[in-house]
Amino acid sequence: MSGKADSRLFPKQKRRDQLLEEMVHDPYLSRAKLKSPTVCKRCDAVYINGRWTWGMTSNDAARILCPACQRTQDKVPAGFLTIQNDYFAKRKNEIMSLIRHTEEHEKQAHPMKRIMHIDDTSDTMQITFTDPGLARNIGDALESAYGGKLDYQYTTGEFMLRVTLEK
């Protein structure tokens, strides 16, 4: 067998120069690397070794507003969860307990995943989040525990997810 590849097994491919669409990234994350350690002046999350975490740091650490606190201050959520139907109103305390437990579990490992606000009316509850992954995880937990139908809507060109849970 010669050094050339068999064209039947490896057909020649035409080269196509193309622009690849860049993934949408969170505009609230710093483009420049932060000084390590840096501490959030509101929630005391610590940026160290390239990531936000919880922990102790020295008094001489740089102090800024972390991305989650900045989002909360600007009122610009990255995730929305809408819970509809009176079925959920009857289980409000159980649902809130599951929501808070899931948030706390996620927040321990990922300090930037937080609930921003809960708006509760008689037939709908809307929760806003600092991270779209938390909206999805809480939606999944509620669907698993109480049933219903989840609908996910990723916003094109933005770092945002809308999750709706209906019975």
Side-chain angles (χ1 to χ4, degrees):
M1 186 167 179
S2 69
K4 290 187 177 182
D6 185 347
S7 64
R8 293 173 295 165
L9 298 175
F10 303 102
K12 288 191 176 183
Q13 304 258 333
K14 291 183 181 179
R15 180 176 172 190
R16 293 185 177 131
D17 290 335
Q18 59 183 340
L19 292 174
L20 298 176
E21 193 173 323
E22 185 177 337
M23 287 180 58
V24 177
H25 296 286
D26 186 354
Y28 278 82
L29 295 181
S30 176
R31 300 267 185 249
K33 190 169 185 177
L34 297 174
K35 180 183 169 195
S36 189
T38 296
V39 178
C40 177
K41 54 188 169 186
R42 181 171 296 155
C43 70
D44 293 326
V46 179
Y47 181 86
I48 193 160
N49 297 328
R51 70 181 294 263
W52 287 96
T53 186
W54 299 111
M56 295 177 48
T57 187
S58 63
N59 291 337
D60 62 339
R63 297 191 71 79
I64 65 164
L65 216 52
C66 73
C69 289
Q70 187 67 56
R71 265 191 187 280
T72 302
Q73 178 179 298
D74 295 348
K75 297 179 180 164
V76 179
F80 294 84
L81 171 62
T82 304
I83 304 169
Q84 298 177 341
N85 199 311
D86 62 345
Y87 172 82
F88 296 104
K90 295 173 188 172
R91 294 168 172 78
K92 183 177 174 182
N93 290 336
E94 294 171 35
I95 289 170
M96 286 308 302
S97 179
L98 179 59
I99 289 168
R100 291 294 184 191
H101 175 76
T102 305
E103 177 204 21
E104 197 56 43
H105 178 74
E106 290 281 328
K107 194 168 66 171
Q108 284 178 359
H110 307 284
M112 299 301 105
K113 293 185 175 187
R114 304 183 200 158
I115 291 174
M116 290 174 59
H117 181 72
I118 298 174
D119 186 22
D120 188 12
T121 63
S122 61
D123 61 345
T124 302
M125 179 186 297
Q126 184 173 59
I127 308 168
T128 56
F129 301 90
T130 59
D131 183 87
L134 184 57
R136 182 177 187 105
N137 292 347
I138 289 178
D140 290 342
L142 290 170
E143 180 188 41
S144 176
Y146 300 104
K149 180 182 172 247
L150 276 177
D151 179 47
Y152 303 100
Q153 295 176 351
Y154 289 93
T155 306
T156 306
E158 294 183 43
F159 187 73
M160 186 185 314
L161 171 65
R162 291 184 183 275
V163 180
T164 305
L165 179 60
E166 299 175 330
K167 185 65 180 174

